[in-house]
């Protein structure tokens, strides 16, 4: 948002206000509290910015009341999304909170997959899209929040292809094995990839997301940068902070200090310590497990009976959902069990509150507590632990924190525990209660300094700055793309040349990649396109591939094109259809290398060995990224020294390492055409490292085109194989419209304009801005 005139449209399931009935006005607004609202409040308050969310207006409003309601929302810079009652129920409770919430938190036993709920989720995301489109102006940034709206980024991208769109997930993203259970996993990943920047609280969630991108939709990443449909997308971790100063200052207010003193008096006698637990009622929070651990603690360490109280604050949540009602019953029963088992005449071990607390009351509990127990079974971030530390700035207090909470990645000085390890939690309770004040301050100080620096406002600012950087990177890539002006010049040069040659890679250029290299035979449209181009008397077409000659012969041997196999080892002309070796080669070296690569296939699930006449290729497209990266290094270490003496080189390709004779490459093979002065037009296109040899060897006047992103010697780039096909279609149209004779056309640019008109769809190579 470098341009101050640009607006921010914040999109979340709910608006930042709780809307309640009011006898006089018909409705009343109360600002909600929480990390998201606190982080975005300064941005929301900036002139022009808008917060869009589901507005469940109070029932019974007449037309005048609804008009007042609309004005009240507008005065608060809010825009409502109205939902059908049944859709709202199915989308919110039926899919968001009965499918996504439990699955993403690692509780598949609570997950319910329902087709009707999914369809409602789609409709509601489309309704949010329509509401955003009613507001959006050129230059706006749209920031979409959380699991309720995972389809929205791609829906917006379709309608606003150049918009700046961010998405932030406030809950964990599960590992691939868990996420793959979701029937609509592909749609959700594609939905999120509509954003320019995808944010998570912790890097583990980023890693899980990137793994699902690769394994579900085939989108690879390089250090968190992905190319989805030819568009750069960034995924990164942005841990949400709190309004640190607000809690720090509140804990020192006289009225809060009075509440702290009053609470100390309520404890009944001197020297009783307080352990505090504050959680929303949810099975992911581990509340029953916490009570069982406290019960076990009192059993193991009876000396603490009468000397410690667990203040358990449970905030009501989803009370109309059966599983939550059952959880409430379980917590009530456990509180009764612990108190019944351990209570004395003047001491009750669990002080239980089932309600929300006013802000000052909550801060007083933080400040009065000696130990904070934050032991969720799974949590995206958890801000309670951060609020507790802010209220103890300058003092003591011990934090027991679950390693399953996103906050544990930042607050590693806390006593971290595995919440499923009852003995570990019991021991942490004892350590926290017995921790000397000096150790408490030593542990807390670096955490407090960190939280004071990385506030919720800084979180929001960093995310938006990163989104701006992604747009700048996209613009830098687009500057290299073959735009309409360059494409028209290319077509004009093609038309004007008496002879022209097209040197085309196959995999990743003419056909998209597949996990199985054997499954990318040319479709009929590609074969017909090559036939049309190759049949033109002024145009030579050569497919220069790393494929073996048998495969190229089977797929393309009947077409009027030249073929180069194994990166330049074999050549077969379009007229004399026999394969010839470019130079004498030996394959004896393969006997030494084959067993080594076969061993790596056995040790690396998903990899495969391809044997060609004079090369061996180890493919790892279907392997996990982490394992593949390690194995590539091992392969090179295992083969590197021995191959040098045999005149064999290791070559990196797209998810492949290939051993082949040194000095034989596509660039060397391309000299057959590059040194022919009769060609007035030369186009070379390819997608990976092997094609860089062609780009380097090409004459300066050649039209060299890289397919995809990355550093390249090519002059231009196209986003994917689909765009390369569209460019070739335009060249074929130009061929069809020119006279059969080899004379120069009367008007060099005429058929270029007609060819451009033949590619009408948005985003095609000749019509793209």
């Amino acid at each position: 948002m470098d341009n101050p005139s640009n607006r921010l449209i914040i999109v979340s399931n709910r608006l930042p206000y709780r809307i309640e009935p009011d006898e006089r006005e018909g409705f009343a607004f109360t600002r909600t509290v929480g990390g998201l609202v606190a982080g975005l409040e300064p941005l929301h308050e900036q002139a022009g910015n808008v917060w869009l969310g589901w507005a469940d207006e109070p029932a019974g409003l007449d037309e005048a009341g609804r008009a007042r309601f609309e004005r009240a929302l507008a005065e608060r810079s809010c825009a409502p999304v109205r939902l059908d009652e049944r859709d709202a129920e199915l989308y919110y409770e039926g899919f968001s909170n009965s499918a996504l919430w439990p699955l993403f938190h690692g509780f598949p036993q609570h997950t319910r997959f329902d087709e009707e709920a999914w369809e409602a989720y789609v409709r509601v995301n489309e309704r949010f899209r329509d509401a955003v489109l009613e507001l959006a102006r050129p230059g706006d940034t749209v920031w979409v929040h959380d699991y309720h709206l995972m389809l929205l980024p791609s829906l917006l991208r379709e309608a606003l292809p150049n918009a700046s769109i961010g998405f932030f997930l406030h809950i964990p993203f599960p590992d691939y094995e868990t996420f793959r259970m979701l029937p609509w996993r592909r749609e959700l990943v594609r939905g999120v990839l509509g954003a320019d920047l995808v944010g998570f609280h912790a890097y583990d969630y980023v890693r899980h997301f990137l793994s699902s991108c690769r394994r579900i939709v085939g989108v690879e990443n390089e250090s968190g940068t992905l190319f989805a449909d030819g568009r750069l997308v960034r995924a990164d971790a942005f841990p949400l902070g709190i309004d640190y100063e607000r809690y720090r200052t509140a804990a020192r207010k006289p009225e809060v200090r009075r509440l702290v003193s009053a609470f100390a008096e309520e404890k009944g006698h001197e020297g009783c310590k307080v352990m505090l637990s504050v959680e929303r009622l949810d099975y992911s929070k581990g509340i029953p497990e916490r009570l069982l651990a406290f019960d076990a603690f009192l059993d193991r360490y009876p000396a603490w009976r009468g000397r410690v109280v667990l203040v358990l604050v449970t905030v009501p949540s989803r009370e109309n959902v059966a599983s939550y009602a059952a959880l409430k019953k379980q917590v009530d029963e456990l509180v009764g069990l612990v108190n019944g088992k351990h209570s004395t005449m003047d001491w009750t071990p669990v002080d239980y509150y089932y309600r929300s607390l006013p802000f000052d009351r909550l801060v007083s509990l933080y400040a009065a507590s000696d130990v904070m127990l934050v032991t969720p079974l799974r949590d995206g971030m958890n801000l309670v632990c951060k609020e507790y530390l802010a209220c103890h700035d300058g003092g003591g207090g011990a934090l027991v924190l679950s390693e399953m909470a996103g906050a544990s990645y930042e607050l590693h000085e806390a006593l971290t525990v595995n919440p499923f390890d009852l003995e570990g939690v019991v021991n942490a309770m004892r350590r926290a209660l017995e921790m000397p004040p000096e150790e408490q301050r030593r542990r807390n100080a670096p955490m407090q300094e960190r939280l004071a620096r990385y506030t919720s406002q800084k979180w929001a600012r960093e995310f938006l700055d990163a989104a701006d950087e992604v747009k700048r990177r996209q613009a830098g890539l687009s500057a290299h793309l073959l735009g309409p002006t360059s494409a028209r010049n290319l077509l004009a040069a093609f038309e004007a040349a008496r002879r022209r040659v097209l040197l085309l890679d196959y995999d990743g250029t003419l056909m998209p990649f597949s996990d199985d290299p054997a499954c990318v035979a040319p479709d009929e449209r590609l074969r017909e396109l090559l036939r049309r181009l190759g049949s033109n008397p002024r145009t030579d077409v050569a497919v220069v591939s790393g494929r073996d000659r048998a495969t190229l012969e089977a797929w393309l041997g009947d077409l009027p094109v030249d073929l180069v196999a194994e990166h330049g080892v074999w050549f077969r002309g379009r007229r004399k259809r026999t394969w010839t070796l470019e130079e004498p080669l030996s394959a004896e070296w393969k006997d030494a290398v084959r067993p080594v690569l076969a061993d790596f296939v056995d040790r690396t699930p998903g990899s495969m060995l391809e044997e060609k006449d004079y090369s061996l290729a180890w493919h790892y497209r279907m392997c996990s990224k982490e394992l593949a990266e390690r194995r590539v290094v091992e392969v090179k270490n295992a083969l590197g020294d021995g191959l040098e003496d045999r005149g064999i080189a290791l070559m990196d390709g797209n998810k492949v390492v290939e051993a082949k004779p040194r000095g034989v490459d596509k660039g060397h093979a391309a000299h057959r055409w590059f040194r022919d002065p009769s060609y007035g037009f030369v186009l070379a296109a390819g997608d990976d490292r092997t094609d860089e040899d062609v780009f380097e060897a090409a004459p300066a006047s050649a039209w060299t085109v890289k397919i995809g992103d990355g550093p390249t010697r090519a002059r231009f780039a196209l986003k994917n194989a689909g765009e390369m096909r569209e460019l070739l279609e335009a060249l074929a149209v130009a061929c069809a419209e020119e006279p059969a004779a080899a004379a120069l056309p009367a008007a060099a640019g005429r058929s270029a304009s007609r060819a451009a008109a033949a590619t009408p769809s948005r985003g095609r190579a000749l019509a793209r801005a």
Side-chain angles (χ1 to χ4, degrees), residues 395-431:
L399 173 62
V400 178
L401 178 60
S402 167
E403 62 190 28
M404 304 298 178
S408 67
Y409 294 97
E410 300 172 82
L411 307 179
H412 42 79
E413 292 88 355
L415 293 176
T416 55
V417 296
N418 179 346
F420 298 95
D421 177 9
L422 184 140
E423 289 300 323
V425 177
V426 167
N427 290 333
M429 288 179 176
R430 180 184 61 80
R431 284 188 62 194

Side-chain angles (χ1 to χ4, degrees), residues 264-277:
E265 293 176 8
E266 290 173 11
K267 287 189 294 186
H269 55 82
E270 193 68 29
C272 186
K273 291 197 171 186
V274 176
M275 290 199 296
L276 177 64
S277 167

Side-chain angles (χ1 to χ4, degrees), residues 532-693:
R532 288 159 58 198
L533 287 166
S535 298
N536 184 276
R538 294 164 53 190
T539 306
D540 292 339
V541 178
V543 175
V544 184
S545 173
R547 291 276 183 174
D548 63 89
R549 55 176 174 157
T551 299
L552 291 180
E553 183 71 43
W555 287 353
L556 306 173
D558 62 326
L559 300 178
V561 299
D562 296 329
L563 298 176
V564 174
E566 293 190 39
H567 304 290
V569 171
W570 294 99
F571 171 77
R572 196 219 70 169
R574 60 191 295 183
R575 295 178 180 86
K576 187 180 178 183
R577 299 191 174 192
T578 57
W579 289 92
T580 59
L581 273 174
E582 291 294 85
E583 58 184 82
L585 295 172
S586 169
E588 292 180 1
W589 60 270
K590 292 200 296 184
D591 292 336
V593 173
R594 188 186 301 105
V596 178
L597 292 180
D599 180 58
F600 276 97
V601 171
D602 294 339
R603 294 167 50 205
T604 315
S607 69
M608 60 171 287
L609 177 61
E610 179 188 9
E611 182 161 356
K612 308 172 190 178
D613 291 328
Y614 293 96
S615 63
L616 292 168
W618 181 68
H619 295 270
Y620 55 89
R621 179 165 297 279
M622 292 192 293
C623 302
S624 74
K625 186 174 189 297
E626 294 80 5
L627 179 60
E629 287 175 347
R630 187 163 69 247
R631 289 287 191 263
V632 166
V633 174
E634 294 174 3
V635 165
K636 292 179 178 179
N637 288 338
L639 295 177
D641 294 337
L643 293 182
E644 185 109 8
D645 298 336
R646 299 171 181 266
I648 304 301
L650 280 181
M651 178 181 63
D652 284 309
N654 197 313
K655 305 302 178 187
V656 61
V657 175
E658 187 160 357
K660 66 177 189 62
R662 186 177 301 279
V664 176
D665 57 51
K666 289 183 179 180
H668 182 78
H671 276 294
R672 174 187 297 269
W673 294 276
F674 291 160
R675 61 174 175 251
D676 187 338
S678 67
Y679 289 118
F681 175 92
V682 176
L683 181 144
D687 70 290
D688 71 6
R689 166 63 188 86
T690 65
D691 301 297
E692 294 299 316
D693 295 325

Side-chain angles (χ1 to χ4, degrees), residues 20 56 92 123 129 164 220 287 294 337 343 379 521 556 618 733 755 768:
E20 298 171 335
D56 193 7
Y92 185 71
R123 286 193 297 273
R129 172 203 58 197
S164 177
E220 297 285 354
I287 299 169
F294 186 55
L337 183 149
S343 290
D379 217 339
L556 306 173
W618 181 68
V733 170
R768 187 179 54 251

Side-chain angles (χ1 to χ4, degrees), residues 378-609:
R378 189 70 168 157
D379 217 339
M381 172 51 70
N382 194 295
L383 300 179
V384 165
C385 53
K386 298 184 176 185
E387 295 166 0
Y388 173 78
L389 288 168
C391 292
H392 282 264
D393 193 346
L399 173 62
V400 178
L401 178 60
S402 167
E403 62 190 28
M404 304 298 178
S408 67
Y409 294 97
E410 300 172 82
L411 307 179
H412 42 79
E413 292 88 355
L415 293 176
T416 55
V417 296
N418 179 346
F420 298 95
D421 177 9
L422 184 140
E423 289 300 323
V425 177
V426 167
N427 290 333
M429 288 179 176
R430 180 184 61 80
R431 284 188 62 194
L433 288 168
E434 297 175 357
M435 187 181 293
E438 179 55 38
E439 183 181 351
Q440 293 177 21
R441 287 190 288 271
R442 178 173 53 79
R443 286 175 175 269
N444 291 349
M447 294 190 287
Q448 289 161 338
E449 290 174 9
R450 211 172 294 130
L451 296 177
R453 285 195 311 270
Y454 200 90
T455 63
S456 52
Q457 290 85 358
K458 183 175 175 60
W459 163 80
R461 187 71 265 164
E462 284 199 356
F463 184 92
L464 292 175
D465 287 346
D468 284 344
E469 176 59 27
V470 172
K471 297 307 286 187
R472 282 192 289 271
R473 289 186 63 187
Q474 289 175 347
L477 173 63
S478 297
H480 188 64
L481 291 175
L482 185 68
T485 301
S486 298
R488 282 193 291 270
N489 292 339
L490 184 153
L491 276 167
F494 179 84
E495 285 188 289
R498 294 180 183 275
R499 288 192 69 205
R500 51 256 182 145
V501 62
L502 311 179
L503 305 179
L504 309 173
D505 175 45
Y506 186 81
D507 293 283
T509 301
L510 295 178
M511 288 289 291
F513 284 104
S514 168
D515 286 343
D516 184 353
C519 294
V520 285
D523 55 72
E524 194 51 45
R525 177 192 163 200
L526 175 60
R527 285 175 48 80
E528 179 57 27
L529 178 57
L530 294 176
R531 181 178 288 108
R532 288 159 58 198
L533 287 166
S535 298
N536 184 276
R538 294 164 53 190
T539 306
D540 292 339
V541 178
V543 175
V544 184
S545 173
R547 291 276 183 174
D548 63 89
R549 55 176 174 157
T551 299
L552 291 180
E553 183 71 43
W555 287 353
L556 306 173
D558 62 326
L559 300 178
V561 299
D562 296 329
L563 298 176
V564 174
E566 293 190 39
H567 304 290
V569 171
W570 294 99
F571 171 77
R572 196 219 70 169
R574 60 191 295 183
R575 295 178 180 86
K576 187 180 178 183
R577 299 191 174 192
T578 57
W579 289 92
T580 59
L581 273 174
E582 291 294 85
E583 58 184 82
L585 295 172
S586 169
E588 292 180 1
W589 60 270
K590 292 200 296 184
D591 292 336
V593 173
R594 188 186 301 105
V596 178
L597 292 180
D599 180 58
F600 276 97
V601 171
D602 294 339
R603 294 167 50 205
T604 315
S607 69
M608 60 171 287
L609 177 61

Side-chain angles (χ1 to χ4, degrees), residues 177 191 203 219 332 335 354 409 465 475 492 496 541 559 641 754:
E177 291 299 332
Y203 183 71
V219 175
D332 291 348
V335 170
Y354 180 63
Y409 294 97
D465 287 346
V541 178
L559 300 178
D641 294 337
R754 287 196 293 271

